[in-house]
Amino acid sequence: MESLLSLFSFAFGAIIGSFLNVVIFRFNTGKTIGGRSCCASCGRTLSWFELIPLFSFISLGGKCRKCKSSISSQYILVEFFTGLLFLLVALKELSFFSDLSPESVLGVVVGWLVVAILMVVFFYDLKHMIIPDSLSQTLFLVAVGNFVLNLFLFNAGVGYAYAHLTSALIFAGFLGLLWLISGGRWIGLGDAKLATSLGLLLPLSSGLSALAFAFWIGASVALVKIAHTRLSESQKRITMKTEIPFAPFLIAGFILSYFMQSDIFHISNLFL
Ligand SMILES: [Zn+2]
């Protein structure tokens, strides 16, 4: 039973992932989400067997069947990681499928929605250096809905409200301040908006850990990028103005902290 539910969670995630790919590629391009997918190179409409998540990409060797041009690796990355994260969310929220209480099921639904939205934000921000407002707003609705349902339907208690609200305030305040003092050069206002929802989804202990992870990962990637640029022949200098999108780090930090229920600052006992 557990293995069946695990398989279902992964497969469901991979299918959602293949839909998210369409959203990432077509969002704000004027193209509709509907309509058959076609090769980005030769425009040939893809047949049904070329649209099976993961399998199609692997069996085609990552190349178009007709024009042999490479298919973006984003396809398989999004399908695989959405599947993996959907599985991990289900395992975590349902305690390895042993707890099917309404609270836990809500946890899975919210977790899956959050993963789907963050997957689009992650790749969209990498490509376009901007977080569409509609995505931040959808995430905000999910975060508020989760908070309200836990508080009023499942009586999560004052401690829950306090831990999640302070987390949201610190995320919003800290990133808002960075945005303000840097005049939008270090991080965008979109990052601060996204962060507020991410903060609300976590209790303060995990929230602070997520912020720390985000900055550590961001700093590591920036250092590697600087070293790489120094070594490359172009010798283009990386400055503070070199745009590195921040949302992917924020999302990575959030996901790490969510799964590990991290409390690197040991503050969760403050609320007990
Ligand atoms: Zn083609």
Side-chain angles (χ1 to χ4, degrees):
M1 188 63 180
E2 285 84 1
S3 46
L4 206 65
L5 286 171
S6 301
L7 188 68
F8 167 80
S9 304
F10 182 83
F12 182 59
I15 292 166
I16 295 293
S18 94
F19 168 73
L20 296 177
N21 269 318
V22 177
V23 178
I24 296 166
F25 277 118
R26 299 192 192 171
F27 202 80
N28 278 351
T29 57
K31 287 187 200 146
T32 55
I33 300 299
R36 291 293 293 273
S37 296
C38 53
C39 170
S41 245
C42 67
R44 186 179 59 87
T45 305
L46 302 180
S47 349
W48 65 269
F49 62 87
E50 290 167 285
L51 296 168
I52 306 165
L54 298 171
F55 288 103
S56 299
F57 190 94
I58 295 166
S59 65
L60 294 169
K63 287 186 164 57
C64 170
R65 207 160 47 90
K66 188 181 161 208
C67 71
K68 302 289 172 205
S69 56
S70 300
I71 304 168
S72 164
S73 56
Q74 180 202 298
Y75 282 103
I76 194 160
L77 286 176
V78 171
E79 286 164 359
F80 176 74
F81 280 106
T82 312
L84 182 68
L85 290 173
F86 268 42
L87 171 61
L88 292 177
V89 165
L91 290 174
K92 174 183 183 286
E93 296 295 335
L94 303 176
S95 312
F96 291 86
F97 301 113
S98 64
D99 168 18
L100 296 173
S101 65
E103 288 96 323
S104 308
V105 173
L106 173 70
V108 174
V109 173
V110 169
W112 284 358
L113 282 171
V114 169
V115 164
I117 297 166
L118 292 184
M119 197 59 79
V120 178
V121 173
F122 188 99
F123 283 93
Y124 197 87
D125 196 35
L126 274 184
K127 269 180 201 277
H128 305 287
M129 300 278 186
I130 192 157
I131 305 168
D133 262 339
S134 54
L135 290 174
S136 305
Q137 285 157 1
T138 313
L139 186 69
F140 186 70
L141 285 180
V142 172
V144 170
N146 176 57
F147 181 75
V148 168
L149 284 177
N150 271 302
L151 208 54
F152 296 106
L153 190 63
F154 299 130
N155 300 311
V158 180
Y160 175 91
Y162 185 64
H164 286 254
L165 283 177
T166 45
S167 174
L169 275 177
I170 287 178
F171 266 75
F174 187 58
L175 294 197
L177 200 67
L178 282 183
W179 172 75
L180 206 64
I181 56 179
S182 73
R185 278 179 299 120
W186 301 340
I187 59 163
L189 188 57
D191 297 312
K193 288 190 210 163
L194 181 85
T196 311
S197 309
L198 294 180
L200 187 57
L201 285 163
L202 294 174
L204 184 60
S205 49
S206 307
L208 288 178
S209 308
L211 272 184
F213 288 150
F215 280 93
W216 290 340
I217 301 168
S220 316
V221 171
L223 284 176
V224 169
K225 226 176 159 171
I226 290 169
H228 181 78
T229 311
R230 285 266 167 87
L231 290 172
S232 72
E233 287 167 45
S234 65
Q235 293 288 325
K236 270 192 292 180
R237 291 285 306 279
I238 275 206
T239 64
M240 281 305 275
K241 271 192 173 162
T242 306
E243 274 194 281
I244 299 175
F246 186 65
F249 303 129
L250 207 55
I251 291 169
F254 169 84
I255 286 180
L256 266 182
S257 189
Y258 163 78
F259 283 116
M260 294 161 61
Q261 289 171 301
S262 319
D263 182 13
I264 54 174
F265 298 107
H266 304 290
I267 54 153
S268 59
N269 45 3
L270 292 178
F271 300 103
L272 295 175

